[in-house]
Amino acid sequence: DKRSEGGRALGFAMAYSSNSGGSWHRLNPTGSVHADNHAIAINPLNPAIIYVGTDGGISVTRNGGITWHNLGNGLMISQIYRLNTSQQNPYVMVCGLQDNGSMTYDGTSWWERTGGDGEDCAINPLNDLLQVSSSQNGSFNISYDQGHHFSHMDITSDTGSWTAPVVFDPLNESIIYFG
């Protein structure tokens, strides 16, 4: 396999070179592996078998990157940026996940609700039906049904900080503060 003679690169687009970096070829042409790659292991007896550790878990190819299989299917592999819980029910939660959107927990299951980099989130302290999730640069979403459905909030045309804060007023459920 010519790939064993060259180099490999991780990052947004996994790639390999068989000519010392003169040209590169995608190891994940279909984009089926999570974009943020952190680790790679190549089988020394069969270089076509490659494992990668990503923000979405562990994936393997047995044909040099043509097809991939996620070994973590069914596992919730995530890095939580922020987590907020209901003051009425400790089993109601919303969290922002690095590169895996925002998720809600209803006491029995986690549900992916919004995409991007899940960032700060909030549950109204007086009424846990009201929840806010966010993604990078201050893009906010609101739910009026305890996190089952979210809709985008048009707050400003300015770009916010990467993890823009959000908090409900503790005395008035109609007031939300954004940073």
Side-chain angles (χ1 to χ4, degrees):
D1 184 349
K2 289 196 163 253
R3 294 180 193 189
S4 63
E5 299 168 10
R8 287 173 179 77
L10 292 176
F12 183 75
M14 293 183 293
Y16 76 93
S17 173
S18 58
N19 59 8
S20 300
S23 61
W24 292 90
H25 307 281
R26 297 269 322 253
L27 276 172
N28 182 27
T30 62
S32 60
V33 177
H34 197 284
D36 277 353
N37 304 289
H38 301 285
I40 186 169
I42 302 163
N43 185 323
L45 302 176
N46 183 350
I49 300 175
I50 304 168
Y51 294 87
V52 292
T54 72
D55 287 349
I58 299 172
S59 293
V60 63
T61 179
R62 290 177 169 71
N63 55 18
I66 297 168
T67 59
W68 290 85
H69 175 68
N70 185 329
L71 299 177
N73 284 340
L75 299 176
M76 189 179 146
I77 299 172
S78 300
Q79 175 184 339
I80 295 177
Y81 273 149
R82 300 286 192 277
L83 173 76
N84 202 288
T85 59
S86 165
Q87 291 187 23
Q88 289 83 44
N89 180 346
Y91 299 105
V92 172
M93 298 178 224
V94 61
C95 67
L97 307 172
Q98 198 267 332
D99 273 342
N100 290 304
S102 292
M103 298 186 82
T104 61
Y105 185 71
D106 61 10
T108 58
S109 299
W110 285 98
W111 302 93
E112 185 174 349
R113 300 300 184 190
T114 59
D117 277 292
E119 300 293 338
D120 206 1
C121 51
I123 297 177
N124 189 294
L126 304 174
N127 177 0
D128 66 11
L129 292 175
L130 301 174
Q131 299 183 8
V132 174
S133 71
S134 67
S135 60
Q136 66 270 21
N137 301 320
S139 177
F140 292 95
N141 301 286
I142 191 162
S143 171
Y144 299 98
D145 61 2
Q146 206 173 56
H148 295 283
H149 302 92
F150 282 87
S151 56
H152 181 71
M153 301 173 73
D154 289 320
I155 297 171
T156 178
S157 60
D158 293 337
T159 299
S161 64
W162 184 260
T163 304
V166 58
V167 66
F168 281 94
D169 188 294
L171 303 176
N172 184 337
E173 70 181 40
S174 300
I175 298 175
I176 310 171
Y177 299 98
F178 299 94

